[in-house]
Amino acid sequence: MGSIFKKHFLQIIIAIAIIVLFPAYKTNKSLVGEKNVSKDVNVYVAGYEYNDSNFESSIEEIANEVGMKHVAKLWKNGKDIPLENKELYSDADAVVVKNKDVYVVGSIMPHEENVAAMWKNGKIQKLTDGIKSAYTRSVCIENDNIYILGAKYDKTNYVVKVWKNGISTDVVRSKNWVNASSMFIYRGDVFICGYEENGDRDEQRYKNNNIAKIWKNGKAQNLTDGHNNAYALSLYIENGIVYVAGYEIENNKYIAKLWIDGKAQNLTNGKNNAIANSIFISNGNVYIVGNETVNGIAVAKLWINGKAQNLTNGRYDSAANSVFVHKNNIYAVGYGKNENDRDVAKLWINGEEKNLTDGTKNGYASSIFVEDVK
């Protein structure tokens, strides 16, 4: 079923790719070094880099078919820490740190199917057996319990699963296509956001749209009514208030959205395509990163309490995928295209751009976590 997963995943990527790319704020060609990183924190970034430099970024959609492979990566303070052999297809999607233990979740493909995986301090633990395709999306720790969000294919669809300390539970099982994007644990309750097809397959209406959703301990709450395609991509909870970032397609325009306890707010006005990729709440302030396409170039955006700032200048396409706020410093990661049409994994600290890869091979940063040095 790996091919089915890949096909659906590529459909999502292609749909988002129109707007998810965005350019560089400053032209910093050097890799991140110790002098670039604050001495009182450790900055962990998860992502991946291709094992081949012979193809430009446009080959991404068919990379595996031509022999290019993702190689899962962890960067600590800019230092590259490979998680897997470069000949094995692998992805790193999320990272979290607790008590000096570093947890990264993603997937590997040793044979034909994706295997959901976790790396603890660089040592892999397989969560599935590889018979059916599976993947992970998010990892959270609460009271020393490790929660991992992912999904496994079962007969005709993916079943959303949560692994708690290695033991899996089916959380969302639907006859319609469902995708889980992000997870947050709050006082023992498991909150998941994502989207699900509404199941209306009437060919005269063409209304089999995706509904943005939250699941609390498996019980669904719709964020949208199904009139438009909508996607919930990132979730954060503070003081019992549930914040969700994503986007909705209205009149063929992508509108970046914020939902607070289910009530929607538009971050953009629909003039340009835009999405909200990641959300973080700190001291009551709402930080969201995403992108907006301006004059054909996707521009990285940061919204603080709804007020937008450009992170990039529009020269080259680039993308921000994750945001983390620590001691009033704003960290974001993603990637940006260079003059040689290679995608470079990027880290932004308070708007200053730093390269995590050297730009000879396509590289991407997916998730960031910052901890105090103790």
Side-chain angles (χ1 to χ4, degrees), residues 206-227:
Y206 298 102
K207 284 293 185 181
N208 192 20
N209 289 333
N210 291 302
I211 299 173
K213 291 197 170 191
I214 298 171
W215 292 270
K216 178 182 178 181
N217 299 326
K219 185 177 180 180
Q221 173 192 349
N222 290 352
L223 296 174
T224 57
D225 60 11
H227 181 72

Side-chain angles (χ1 to χ4, degrees), residues 299-317:
V299 178
K301 308 287 284 194
L302 166 68
W303 291 270
I304 302 177
N305 298 326
K307 185 176 181 180
Q309 304 175 24
N310 289 347
L311 291 176
T312 55
N313 62 16
R315 184 179 179 188
Y316 295 112
D317 286 331

Side-chain angles (χ1 to χ4, degrees), residues 34 68 154-155 158 184 189 273 319 335 355 373:
E34 287 299 320
M68 292 174 62
D154 183 16
K155 297 180 181 178
Y158 277 86
F184 199 98
D189 291 321
N273 286 329
Y335 63 93
N355 293 346
V373 174

Side-chain angles (χ1 to χ4, degrees), residues 162-366:
V162 172
W163 288 265
K164 180 180 179 181
N165 300 327
I167 300 173
S168 69
T169 301
D170 293 349
V171 178
V172 182
R173 184 184 288 269
S174 174
K175 64 180 180 179
N176 302 315
W177 194 272
V178 62
N179 188 289
S181 304
S182 180
M183 174 179 61
F184 199 98
I185 311 301
Y186 185 75
R187 296 181 178 177
D189 291 321
V190 179
F191 291 81
I192 297 168
C193 75
Y195 47 94
E196 182 179 5
E197 289 182 347
N198 65 15
D200 183 355
R201 294 178 173 84
D202 190 310
E203 293 183 0
Q204 300 301 313
R205 291 193 296 263
Y206 298 102
K207 284 293 185 181
N208 192 20
N209 289 333
N210 291 302
I211 299 173
K213 291 197 170 191
I214 298 171
W215 292 270
K216 178 182 178 181
N217 299 326
K219 185 177 180 180
Q221 173 192 349
N222 290 352
L223 296 174
T224 57
D225 60 11
H227 181 72
N228 301 312
N229 275 307
Y231 304 85
L233 300 181
S234 183
L235 175 71
Y236 204 100
I237 302 173
E238 185 174 72
N239 298 324
I241 300 173
V242 181
Y243 301 82
V244 179
Y247 67 102
E248 186 171 4
I249 305 174
E250 302 177 15
N251 298 318
N252 294 319
K253 289 292 186 180
Y254 292 61
I255 312 296
K257 295 270 188 175
L258 166 65
W259 291 272
I260 301 178
D261 280 341
K263 186 175 180 180
Q265 300 180 16
N266 289 352
L267 296 172
T268 55
N269 60 16
K271 180 180 178 181
N272 300 311
N273 286 329
I275 64 173
N277 283 322
S278 178
I279 187 168
F280 195 97
I281 313 300
S282 179
N283 297 322
N285 295 308
V286 181
Y287 300 85
I288 297 172
V289 293
N291 48 276
E292 184 173 11
T293 301
V294 181
N295 297 324
I297 299 294
V299 178
K301 308 287 284 194
L302 166 68
W303 291 270
I304 302 177
N305 298 326
K307 185 176 181 180
Q309 304 175 24
N310 289 347
L311 291 176
T312 55
N313 62 16
R315 184 179 179 188
Y316 295 112
D317 286 331
S318 58
N321 298 321
S322 180
V323 61
F324 196 102
V325 180
H326 182 76
K327 294 182 177 178
N328 296 320
N329 293 309
I330 305 169
Y331 300 80
V333 294
Y335 63 93
K337 194 181 299 297
N338 66 14
E339 60 274 13
N340 296 318
D341 201 25
R342 299 296 189 273
D343 289 328
V344 181
K346 300 280 187 178
L347 164 67
W348 292 271
I349 303 177
N350 297 327
E352 181 182 353
E353 177 190 300
K354 303 175 186 299
N355 293 346
L356 295 170
T357 55
D358 63 11
T360 59
K361 295 177 287 190
N362 294 326
Y364 305 86
S366 304

